[in-house]
Amino acid sequence: EDVTEEYSDSQVQLRNFEAEETQFLKILETAKTIQETLDVTREISRVRGNIDRLKGRMQYLEKNVAMATITINLATDEASLPVIEQQNQWRPLVVVKNALRGVLATFKALSYLIIWVVIFGAIWLPLIVIVYFGRRWWKARKQNPFGR
């Protein structure tokens, strides 16, 4: 949401209210009666309230602009972009692409699994072979303790 115009308008209003406050302060210095002083003080209070309100609004706008979020969707084709307002639109090409991506992701995961098995197999295979042949040797020795 673009708040540039509102912020610019607020800046102009703020300058006008500050100029008005300055004029009332000059008038207050020249006031001769209590009634004149009270009237000018009331006007200064009103103008000061408007200044504070505008400064608060401008600070709010500045903070909102500082924390603004912009979402950009990039795609190789229009069919892959998310459709927010037309949720029930029929887009079979997007479904096919998503299915192919799923198949590729599955093959990728399987290739990673094979790499892990090969790496761990290379570490554990010698140990398994040693245990296997050691056990065979141990059984053979138990059956024939004197080597006959």
Side-chain angles (χ1 to χ4, degrees):
E1 182 180 343
D2 188 14
V3 294
T4 307
E5 185 177 340
E6 181 181 355
Y7 190 81
S8 296
D9 289 345
S10 296
Q11 284 180 323
V12 171
Q13 287 179 345
L14 182 63
R15 281 195 300 270
N16 290 339
F17 281 131
E18 286 174 342
E20 187 177 356
E21 181 185 35
T22 303
Q23 291 298 320
F24 279 128
L25 288 173
K26 287 180 183 176
I27 293 171
L28 183 62
E29 291 174 3
T30 61
K32 299 200 188 288
T33 66
I34 293 176
Q35 186 60 41
E36 287 177 354
T37 304
L38 290 176
D39 290 341
V40 172
T41 304
R42 187 177 332 104
E43 288 301 314
I44 291 173
S45 177
R46 177 188 61 79
V47 171
R48 175 54 44 198
N50 288 334
I51 290 172
D52 291 341
R53 178 185 55 79
L54 277 173
K55 283 184 177 178
R57 179 65 182 166
M58 289 171 69
Q59 285 177 351
Y60 170 77
L61 292 174
E62 287 171 0
K63 286 179 183 176
N64 273 356
V65 168
M67 294 189 298
T69 302
I70 297 175
T71 303
I72 298 174
N73 295 306
L74 301 175
T76 55
D77 59 0
E78 188 177 345
S80 297
L81 289 172
V83 178
I84 296 170
E85 63 276 349
Q86 299 173 349
Q87 291 293 334
N88 296 328
Q89 186 178 11
W90 190 59
R91 300 181 346 176
L93 185 60
V94 174
V95 174
V96 169
K97 286 182 180 181
N98 287 337
L100 288 174
R101 286 184 186 122
V103 168
L104 290 175
T106 302
F107 284 136
K108 179 180 168 184
L110 284 174
S111 68
Y112 288 169
L113 177 64
I114 291 169
I115 292 170
W116 276 84
V117 168
V118 167
I119 299 294
F120 276 98
I123 294 171
W124 289 101
L125 187 62
L127 182 63
I128 291 171
V129 169
I130 291 170
V131 168
Y132 175 75
F133 284 112
R135 199 167 167 198
R136 279 187 65 187
W137 176 80
W138 183 261
K139 281 186 180 181
R141 190 157 202 281
K142 264 184 138 180
Q143 289 176 358
N144 192 3
F146 299 112
R148 299 182 205 166

